[in-house]
Amino acid sequence: MSVKLIAIDMDGTLLNEHSELNPATIQAVQAARAQGIKVVLCTGRPLSGVTPFLKQLAITGDDEYVVTFNGAMAQTVEGRIITSLTLSHNDYIDIEALSRKIGVHCHVESEDHIYTANANISPYTVGESFLVNMPVRYRTAEQMRSDLPIVKCMFIDDPQILAAAIKKIPAEIYDRYYLVQSEAYFLELMNPAASKGRTLQVLAERLGFTADEVMAIGDQGNDLSMLKYATNSVAMGNAIPQAKALAKYETKTNRQDGVAHAINTWALTK
């Protein structure tokens, strides 16, 4: 069955090592769209961190879609929300307190801001702010609005600190939330119904596509759910071992235009 939707992770997948789009990637995406294939960027970023690349790819209009915040949201590229799976204020209070107990920095993201209760703001929070084009707000837990929709919480720290802290997370936290490690220095805690794979499935079915008609391309732990869902699953050459073991295909690295290779080889009609 032919591919009708291509879901593509961004960091480490669509983007090269400089967080940029290579010309070959742009050409392949445009070739796919010229054949009527939907291209959906599926990312841990908010829409603000995706928009500059959508413009470069010429993906516009209210009938084009993105999966943002690692599946907590599906939106049109114009910002209309299709699905939203957020966390409550009580979730925030519990997760922020846990971060202090296990010794890691923590920040949370709304649709348009990053919030941290750490007076010594983590450099990873600052880096995330620049990466996704969202400003950082310092708020103590007591100062946080109780009605603020929180899309995801993130434990952020040096990889060795984060790895040690993860071992201290109680089992009940895994029962309450969806936890996924998107980078060696990021652990994300989300609504238990959220994941790239589940939200991609909802979006694909909304558009009338089956898993057999979907190609998913990714490289990290937060991509595993969509690699499981899509029949035409592709792991990047730079992917973690779990992604490579799960995927149907393996393409080149993000430095070697792996997304372009995957699209040209397994999606386009010759």
Side-chain angles (χ1 to χ4, degrees), residues 137-194:
R137 289 181 169 178
Y138 169 69
R139 298 286 188 276
T140 65
E142 293 75 18
Q143 292 171 329
M144 284 288 282
R145 282 172 38 205
S146 61
D147 61 342
L148 178 70
I150 295 171
V151 185
K152 64 179 180 179
C153 298
M154 299 175 69
F155 291 163
I156 52 187
D157 232 307
D158 292 335
Q160 66 273 19
I161 295 175
L162 182 59
I166 288 172
K167 296 177 182 178
K168 302 175 186 177
I169 296 176
E172 65 98 5
I173 294 295
Y174 289 90
D175 294 332
R176 287 178 60 183
Y177 306 107
Y178 170 57
L179 278 68
V180 62
Q181 190 159 3
S182 53
E183 298 286 353
Y185 41 83
F186 285 158
L187 180 72
E188 310 196 13
L189 297 88
M190 301 164 55
N191 184 300

Side-chain angles (χ1 to χ4, degrees), residues 237-251:
N238 52 287
I240 61 173
Q242 297 95 313
K244 292 183 178 182
L246 191 61
K248 181 177 181 180
Y249 306 110
E250 182 178 334
T251 187

Side-chain angles (χ1 to χ4, degrees), residues 6-66:
I6 304 174
I8 313 174
D9 169 56
M10 289 184 61
D11 297 289
T13 300
L14 183 76
L15 306 180
N16 64 21
E17 71 274 25
H18 305 296
S19 294
E20 298 171 344
L21 285 167
N22 284 342
T25 302
I26 295 173
Q27 292 167 9
V29 168
Q30 291 177 343
R33 298 187 72 240
Q35 288 193 5
I37 299 172
K38 282 282 185 188
V39 175
V40 177
L41 303 190
C42 295
T43 177
R45 298 183 184 212
L47 184 58
S48 60
V50 183
T51 300
F53 303 101
L54 292 169
K55 291 179 179 178
Q56 291 182 59
L57 295 168
I59 299 177
T60 60
D62 206 43
D63 61 344
E64 302 292 346
Y65 305 89
V66 291

Side-chain angles (χ1 to χ4, degrees), residues 70-248:
N70 277 326
M73 283 190 176
Q75 302 168 258
T76 68
V77 300
E78 305 296 334
R80 180 167 56 88
I81 296 174
I82 306 301
T83 183
S84 177
L85 300 162
T86 58
L87 296 169
S88 70
H89 183 72
N90 284 338
D91 291 325
Y92 161 72
I93 294 297
D94 290 347
I95 292 170
E96 204 282 328
L98 175 63
S99 74
R100 296 176 183 275
K101 185 175 181 179
I102 64 177
V104 289
H105 285 85
C106 174
H107 71 232
V108 303
E109 296 184 6
S110 68
E111 276 189 71
D112 49 13
H113 286 87
I114 297 173
Y115 294 85
T116 180
N118 301 131
N120 294 322
I121 298 176
S122 167
Y124 293 105
T125 295
V126 176
E128 174 81 346
S129 172
F130 279 100
L131 186 71
V132 303
N133 299 315
M134 286 206 303
V136 178
R137 289 181 169 178
Y138 169 69
R139 298 286 188 276
T140 65
E142 293 75 18
Q143 292 171 329
M144 284 288 282
R145 282 172 38 205
S146 61
D147 61 342
L148 178 70
I150 295 171
V151 185
K152 64 179 180 179
C153 298
M154 299 175 69
F155 291 163
I156 52 187
D157 232 307
D158 292 335
Q160 66 273 19
I161 295 175
L162 182 59
I166 288 172
K167 296 177 182 178
K168 302 175 186 177
I169 296 176
E172 65 98 5
I173 294 295
Y174 289 90
D175 294 332
R176 287 178 60 183
Y177 306 107
Y178 170 57
L179 278 68
V180 62
Q181 190 159 3
S182 53
E183 298 286 353
Y185 41 83
F186 285 158
L187 180 72
E188 310 196 13
L189 297 88
M190 301 164 55
N191 184 300
S195 73
K196 284 189 181 183
R198 187 174 298 184
T199 300
L200 174 60
Q201 180 177 357
V202 169
L203 180 60
E205 290 175 353
R206 178 187 176 96
L207 297 173
F209 303 142
T210 67
D212 289 343
E213 296 170 314
V214 177
M215 170 181 281
I217 312 174
D219 74 309
Q220 285 293 327
N222 57 335
D223 300 318
L224 297 180
S225 61
M226 70 175 185
L227 295 179
K228 288 178 183 177
Y229 162 68
T231 298
N232 306 285
S233 53
V234 183
M236 298 296 291
N238 52 287
I240 61 173
Q242 297 95 313
K244 292 183 178 182
L246 191 61
K248 181 177 181 180

